[in-house]
């Protein structure tokens, strides 16, 4: 343990951890809002809507997050006059915003597939039974399908959050001092590999927290199907 | 247990023998460089590593009658790769600093150049002191003396650090940063290009104590051999010839 190094960079790494957390919370929550219409679009009978939603998910899932981040960050830099004309440059000038935007768009595609999969995985008999009780399609979706789909989506969603936590380290490449950014800085000053170990431990701790919270949520949501 | 001990001992001896044998023989030297820092080191359209650093390294190798191979490696990873024995010496326009001296040894400096602030034309920046640049966003390549200089001399400033110089340049051109700090000759090279047309040099600051070749701390023989070779190629005129190919003035470090 190098105490001097810890003293110099420990507080900054915790600040970096907060930046990582902010990025992930923003991306996951805004991504969820965006994912719902995309998931519904994927299931739409309208071919145009379905096609658009499919194309979006296809393109985002088919390209690396790093490439998407570069595309948004340095791509926006190339369109500065146009962005200034519409008054959006002040947003795209900011590296944190560019990362939050990219990560949101990225996770929206993955979450859309998670939600679509979960909705389709609810047995058809459930809606048929509800229909026979005379419920309207809207009510069936809201009161029968969605509650069961939430349970099915829970685990994959936890996975997606974990992937996002780790994927957010890409932000360090475009000047954001997230946990990885601070770690790189500390390493470039000290040439001591320890800092990467600390970063790994902090990421691990974050993931462990998510894992435990998810266990709690799942126990709570499945209390009606538990045998004992 | 005894067998294990014998094996371990044999292995240790073998390693020690190979290591010591390797440390003495410098008939081949593997040289690490970045390859993204024109005109000092870059990869041309034929995927060949070229530049001032490379030509100096080749002249040094010729002087030492050694065969040299070149490896291009990400800037941040150069010193770790040297320590991991991926190559034996770094010729990558690496400034001799006290921080780096704690982990590697440097040869005699083979050049010394000024460091300059570059900003957009018409930025109105004339004073590059901390007071003159107050409130500006500054940028530099990470793990460089320029980045440390910014952090130390401009405390409290918004300093952005990038993996390569190209990315710093891009963000100055797009206006995300107000000024960047870079080796003056590298900056001038960029300003000559079309995407550098946006910007100009607005001031110089004293940074760094020369550029040297870095070697592992235990390879003192290689360090001294390189230092001697640098003196030798300066004495026989090879250095000046290479210098003239790149710059109209001498960048020799006294």
């Amino acid at each position: 343990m190098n105490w001097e190094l810890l003293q110099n960079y420990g507080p900054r790494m915790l600040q970096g951890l907060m930046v990582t957390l902010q990025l992930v919370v923003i991306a996951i929550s805004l991504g969820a809002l965006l994912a719902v219409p995309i998931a519904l679009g994927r299931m739409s009978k309208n071919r145009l809507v379905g096609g658009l939603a499919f194309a979006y998910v296809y393109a985002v899932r088919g390209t690396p997050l790093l490439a998407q981040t570069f595309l948004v960050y340095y791509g926006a830099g190339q369109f500065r006059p146009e962005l200034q004309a519409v008054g959006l440059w002040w947003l795209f000038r900011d590296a944190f915003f560019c990362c939050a935007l990219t990560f949101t768009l990225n996770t929206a595609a993955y979450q859309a597939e998670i939600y679509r999969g979960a909705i389709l995985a609810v047995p058809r008999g459930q809606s048929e039974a509800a229909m026979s009780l005379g419920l309207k399609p809207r009510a069936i979706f809201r009161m029968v399908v969605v509650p069961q789909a939430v349970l099915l989506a829970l685990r994959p969603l936890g996975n997606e959050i974990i992937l996002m936590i780790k994927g957010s380290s890409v932000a360090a490449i475009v000047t954001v001092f997230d946990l990885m950014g601070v770690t790189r800085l500390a390493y470039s000053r000290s040439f001591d590999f320890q800092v990467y170990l600390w970063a790994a431990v902090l990421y691990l701790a974050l993931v462990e927290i998510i894992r435990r919270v998810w266990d709690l949520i799942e126990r709570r949501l499945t209390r009606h199907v538990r045998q004992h | 247990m005894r067998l294990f001990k014998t094996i371990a001992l044999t292995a240790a001896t073998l390693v020690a023998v190979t290591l010591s044998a390797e440390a003495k023989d410098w008939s081949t030297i593997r040289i690490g460089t970045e390859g993204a820092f024109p005109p000092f080191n870059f990869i041309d359209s034929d995927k060949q590593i070229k530049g001032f650093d490379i030509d100096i390294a080749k002249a040094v190798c010729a002087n030492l009658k050694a065969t040299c191979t070149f490896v291009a490696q990400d800037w941040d990873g150069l010193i770790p790769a040297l320590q991991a024995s991926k190559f034996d010496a770094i010729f990558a326009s690496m400034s001799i600093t006290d921080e780096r001296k704690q982990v590697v040894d440097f040869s005699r400096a083979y050049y010394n150049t000024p460091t300059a602030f570059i900003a957009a034309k018409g930025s109105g920046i004339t004073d590059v002191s901390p007071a003159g640049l107050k409130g500006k966003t500054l940028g530099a390549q990470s793990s460089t003396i320029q980045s440390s200089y910014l952090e130390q001399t401009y405390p409290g400033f918004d300093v952005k650090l990038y993996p390569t110089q190209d990315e710093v340049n891009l963000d100055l051109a797009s206006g995300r940063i107000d000024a960047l700090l870079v080796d003056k000759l590298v900056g001038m090279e960029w300003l000559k290009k079309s995407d550098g047309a946006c910007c100009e040099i607005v001031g110089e600051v004293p940074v760094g104590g020369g550029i040297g070749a870095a070697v592992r701390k235990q390879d003192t023989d290689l360090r001294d051999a390189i230092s001697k070779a640098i003196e030798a190629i300066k004495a026989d005129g090879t250095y000046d010839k290479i210098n003239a190919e790149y710059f109209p003035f001498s960048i020799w470090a006294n």
Side-chain angles (χ1 to χ4, degrees):
Chain A
M1 228 17 204
N2 185 339
W3 292 108
E4 200 190 325
L5 197 63
L6 187 65
Q7 209 170 18
N8 283 342
Y9 291 102
R12 286 185 75 168
M13 285 181 81
L14 288 181
Q15 281 172 15
L17 182 68
M18 287 313 293
V19 174
T20 293
L21 269 178
Q22 284 167 8
L23 271 174
V24 172
V25 168
I26 292 173
I28 292 292
S29 46
L30 292 183
L33 290 179
L34 206 57
V36 171
I38 297 171
L40 294 176
R42 284 279 276 126
M43 292 182 292
S44 164
K45 287 195 186 75
N46 182 322
R47 288 183 67 173
L48 181 69
V49 174
L52 279 175
F54 173 77
Y56 179 80
V57 170
Y58 185 82
V60 171
R61 291 205 309 174
T63 49
L65 183 59
L66 179 63
Q68 293 166 8
T69 310
F70 269 37
L71 213 60
V72 170
Y73 186 74
Y74 290 111
Q78 305 289 306
F79 291 103
R80 181 184 174 184
E82 290 83 351
L83 284 167
Q84 264 175 333
V86 291
L88 284 175
W89 173 246
W90 65 277
L91 274 175
F92 282 92
R93 189 178 195 272
D94 184 38
F96 182 88
F97 170 81
C98 287
C99 286
L101 176 70
T102 315
F103 296 171
T104 301
L105 294 176
N106 179 279
T107 189
Y110 285 95
Q111 287 190 42
E113 285 301 275
I114 291 170
Y115 301 147
R116 184 181 75 101
I119 290 169
L120 293 181
V122 175
R124 247 191 96 69
Q126 294 283 329
S127 15
E128 281 167 358
M131 224 184 305
S132 70
L133 290 173
L135 270 86
K136 294 210 172 68
R138 231 165 230 279
I140 295 172
F141 185 72
R142 200 164 48 84
M143 293 161 69
V144 178
V145 177
V146 168
Q148 297 185 72
V150 165
L151 201 54
L152 291 166
L154 195 65
R155 281 287 154 190
L157 184 63
N159 248 340
E160 170 60 15
I161 295 176
I162 288 170
L163 287 175
M164 197 76 246
I165 288 173
K166 294 180 293 182
S168 70
S169 57
V170 159
I173 304 292
V174 291
T175 77
V176 174
F177 283 114
D178 70 335
L179 179 52
M180 196 62 195
V182 177
T183 308
R184 278 165 46 102
L185 183 74
Y187 180 70
S188 74
R189 295 272 186 281
S190 63
F191 302 106
D192 190 336
F193 277 112
Q194 248 181 60
V195 288
Y196 282 116
L197 195 66
W198 300 345
V201 168
L202 286 174
Y203 276 113
L204 197 68
L206 266 189
V207 170
E208 176 63 15
I209 291 170
I210 297 288
R211 199 181 68 83
R212 290 188 176 231
V213 168
W214 242 246
D215 273 352
L216 284 178
I217 298 178
E218 189 173 66
R219 283 174 72 124
R220 168 89 190 153
L221 286 180
T222 54
R223 63 198 186 282
H224 60 289
V225 286
R226 239 173 293 140
Q227 300 299 315
H228 46 87
Chain B
M1 201 58 200
R2 196 185 227 161
L3 180 69
F4 175 75
K5 257 190 190 162
T6 320
I7 291 172
L9 212 70
T10 322
T13 322
L14 267 176
V15 168
V17 168
T18 24
L19 274 182
S20 60
E22 227 175 43
K24 293 221 166 59
D25 176 29
W26 296 116
S27 60
T28 59
I29 305 173
R30 293 163 302 160
I31 291 174
T33 192
E34 187 195 6
F37 204 56
F40 290 103
N41 60 76
F42 56 96
I43 294 169
D44 74 358
S45 46
D46 297 333
K47 304 217 168 118
Q48 296 294 310
I49 304 179
K50 293 210 169 130
F52 183 81
D53 287 321
I54 311 305
D55 287 351
I56 293 295
K58 282 180 178 161
V60 163
C61 290
N63 185 273
L64 296 174
K65 300 198 171 45
T67 319
C68 287
T69 52
F70 290 88
V71 184
Q73 152 86 47
D74 226 34
W75 174 253
D76 279 349
L78 272 172
I79 287 183
L82 178 73
Q83 289 173 318
S85 286
K86 304 282 184 215
F87 34 74
D88 308 308
I90 299 174
F91 278 82
S93 289
M94 187 172 276
S95 302
I96 303 167
T97 66
D98 290 338
E99 277 173 341
R100 289 183 185 135
K101 270 190 194 158
Q102 291 181 3
V103 285
V104 294
D105 261 13
F106 281 98
S107 73
R108 162 195 215 299
Y110 60 90
Y111 80 83
N112 198 359
T113 50
T115 288
F117 269 107
I118 298 180
K121 282 176 182 159
S123 65
I125 297 174
T126 48
D127 176 10
V128 294
S129 70
L133 287 174
K134 203 169 189 311
K136 304 282 187 202
T137 306
L138 309 175
Q141 183 178 5
S142 68
S143 327
T144 58
I145 46 161
Q146 283 81 17
S147 70
S148 330
Y149 185 81
L150 284 183
E151 296 229 329
Q152 276 154 21
T153 320
Y154 299 82
F157 276 67
D158 188 4
V159 173
K160 302 208 171 263
L161 302 176
Y162 301 79
T164 68
Q165 188 60 41
D166 286 341
E167 285 155 350
V168 194
N169 299 345
L170 261 176
D171 256 10
L172 179 66
S174 69
R176 279 206 184 95
I177 53 178
D178 299 309
L180 63 80
L181 192 62
V182 68
D183 181 290
K184 191 180 173 189
L185 300 183
V186 173
M188 281 165 68
E189 182 83 2
W190 175 61
L191 293 177
K192 275 191 268 174
K193 294 196 188 134
S194 62
D195 54 339
C198 60
C199 307
E200 61 186 359
I201 290 176
V202 293
E204 282 182 28
V205 284
V207 180
I211 303 288
V215 299
R216 282 179 295 276
K217 272 194 166 303
Q218 66 266 30
D219 295 340
T220 46
D221 51 343
L222 179 62
R223 180 197 66 198
D224 297 340
I226 291 176
S227 295
K228 239 190 236 160
I230 291 170
E231 302 269 4
I233 61 169
K234 174 66 180 164
D236 70 10
T238 318
Y239 183 94
D240 293 335
K241 222 196 271 167
I242 296 169
N243 191 145
E245 273 176 47
Y246 288 90
F247 312 108
F249 44 86
S250 175
I251 59 171
W252 173 253
N254 279 312

